[in-house]
Amino acid sequence: MMKKIPVIEIFGPTIQGEGMLIGQKTMFVRTAGCDYSCRWCDSAFTWDGSAKKEIRQLTALNIWRELQQLGGDRFNHVTISGGNPALIQALGELVSLLKQNGIRVALETQGSRWQEWFYEIDDLTISPKPPSSGMKTDFHVLDDIIFRLTKKEKQGVSLKVVVFDDADFSYAEMVHKRYPHIPFYLQVGNDAISSNDESMLRTALLDKLNWLVEKTVQSKDMNDVRVLPQLHTLLWGNKRGV
Ligand SMILES: C[S@@+](CC[C@H](N)C(=O)[O-])C[C@H]1O[C@@H](n2cnc3c(N)ncnc32)[C@H](O)[C@@H]1O
Ligand SMILES: Nc1nc2[nH]cc(C(=O)O)c2c(=O)[nH]1
Ligand code: SF4
Ligand SMILES: [Mg+2]
């Protein structure tokens, strides 16, 4: 029998709004539960109890069928996010099922837990958390995850650090220096996650992007990085399910 996976949202097709695959057409599967509680988490409903009623316990097959119902033949890429999907061992069954059906699979996680099924992921984004999040990175765990992943040659791995302030930028420099061979992305932090004024939000995010680009061009330690906004937030604001 297939194991159950706690799912809070399945949506798409949309585009990947962040990181190494920005602009890639994809479906999303968002799992419930996180071992972190970042101060500025834009998906806190996955772990703070506010959307408890929306959590469904689904098998990999249930999820695959729902993806097909929603996306028909308009997708060949699925992104798994959360919460922290790396908490869920049973996700390995979904990853295998998707791959058997010719789907490319991406994963978003913060790098606090390892799963053997990481090896099946085509595009793996690890997003360690800077000081403004209130979380502390366990570098023993992160070193181990990066070490295991880089043993496999063909795996697509990237690091993505969200930056809100100068201390976050210094943390990002330190992470990039520690893993210089992993493609590195800087992402603009959204500090207005409750705002529904989309034009004000856009202006604020673009100002923040400007600031982050300026910091990056001035930094001698950030010569091989990419700076990006959250494209979906620029397009659709703080809406869920896009
Ligand atoms: C909601 S998290 C879920 C996956 C995993 N828990 C993680 O943090 O990587 C997905 C991505 O959104 C980013 N994110 C969360 N809140 C954000 C915010 N307010 N502004 C910018 N990025 C944010 C996270 O850093 C992470 O890269
Ligand atoms: N379009 C879109 N792109 C995303 N990239 C990462 C997301 C996430 O919440 O993990 C996300 C999301 O929620 N929507
Ligand atoms: S690790 Fe990800 S899902 Fe968990 S609280 Fe932080 S941003 Fe939110
Ligand atoms: Mg998001």
Side-chain angles (χ1 to χ4, degrees):
M1 228 191 50
M2 276 185 159
K3 296 188 215 104
K4 296 289 173 71
I5 298 162
V7 174
I8 202 156
E9 288 186 316
I10 299 178
F11 61 91
T14 181
I15 53 162
Q16 168 58 275
E18 305 178 12
M20 66 171 156
L21 290 187
I22 193 164
Q24 167 73 47
K25 185 174 170 182
T26 189
M27 301 289 291
F28 275 87
V29 175
R30 193 184 299 285
T31 60
C34 193
D35 46 330
Y36 279 15
S37 51
C38 300
R39 264 202 281 268
W40 36 252
C41 178
D42 63 7
S43 306
F45 61 92
T46 62
W47 52 265
D48 67 3
S50 61
K52 215 157 81 191
K53 290 203 190 91
E54 294 168 50
I55 302 171
R56 293 177 296 155
Q57 300 291 334
L58 302 177
T59 65
L61 194 59
N62 296 150
I63 297 170
W64 170 229
R65 292 211 173 114
E66 194 162 323
L67 284 165
Q68 285 177 293
Q69 240 164 33
L70 264 175
D73 55 7
R74 294 174 294 130
F75 74 99
N76 63 8
H77 191 278
V78 171
T79 305
I80 303 169
S81 185
N84 186 6
L87 299 178
I88 306 165
Q89 199 212 336
L91 264 178
E93 291 179 0
L94 175 64
V95 177
S96 300
L97 187 59
L98 293 172
K99 305 283 298 182
Q100 280 160 31
N101 284 280
I103 304 292
R104 254 183 102 77
V105 185
L107 183 82
E108 305 269 340
T109 186
Q110 63 265 40
S112 57
R113 298 286 178 94
W114 167 258
Q115 291 285 346
E116 283 301 315
W117 51 258
F118 280 7
Y119 285 130
E120 309 295 316
I121 302 288
D122 299 292
D123 312 301
L124 180 50
T125 297
I126 301 185
S127 181
K129 295 296 174 268
S132 66
S133 68
M135 300 296 110
K136 234 182 135 55
T137 305
D138 183 336
F139 279 100
H140 290 297
V141 175
L142 190 57
D143 284 351
D144 181 59
I145 291 174
I146 299 282
F147 174 75
R148 289 175 195 239
L149 291 172
T150 45
K151 276 195 309 197
K152 274 243 174 155
E153 225 173 73
K154 64 176 185 31
Q155 185 138 27
V157 186
S158 72
L159 284 160
K160 175 174 75 182
V161 176
V162 173
V163 175
F164 283 81
D165 53 29
D166 289 343
D168 289 357
F169 191 83
S170 302
Y171 170 91
E173 288 178 321
M174 179 266 288
V175 173
H176 180 44
K177 266 193 196 161
R178 193 173 181 107
Y179 313 109
H181 303 301
I182 308 287
F184 193 90
Y185 292 80
L186 288 159
Q187 175 162 306
V188 172
N190 171 11
D191 55 16
I193 49 176
S194 307
S195 165
N196 44 31
D197 184 338
E198 289 189 15
S199 62
M200 229 171 71
L201 182 62
R202 261 181 216 125
T203 306
L205 291 172
L206 288 174
D207 285 350
K208 234 9 201 318
L209 176 61
N210 217 319
W211 168 81
L212 188 52
V213 167
E214 191 53 32
K215 290 278 295 179
T216 306
V217 297
Q218 297 302 338
S219 168
K220 67 172 177 41
D221 295 319
M222 293 299 217
N223 292 343
D224 198 14
V225 303
R226 292 162 196 198
V227 188
L228 287 175
Q230 284 180 303
L231 186 52
H232 56 104
T233 312
L234 288 176
L235 289 170
W236 303 303
N238 289 313
K239 276 193 202 71
R240 257 181 70 174
V242 288

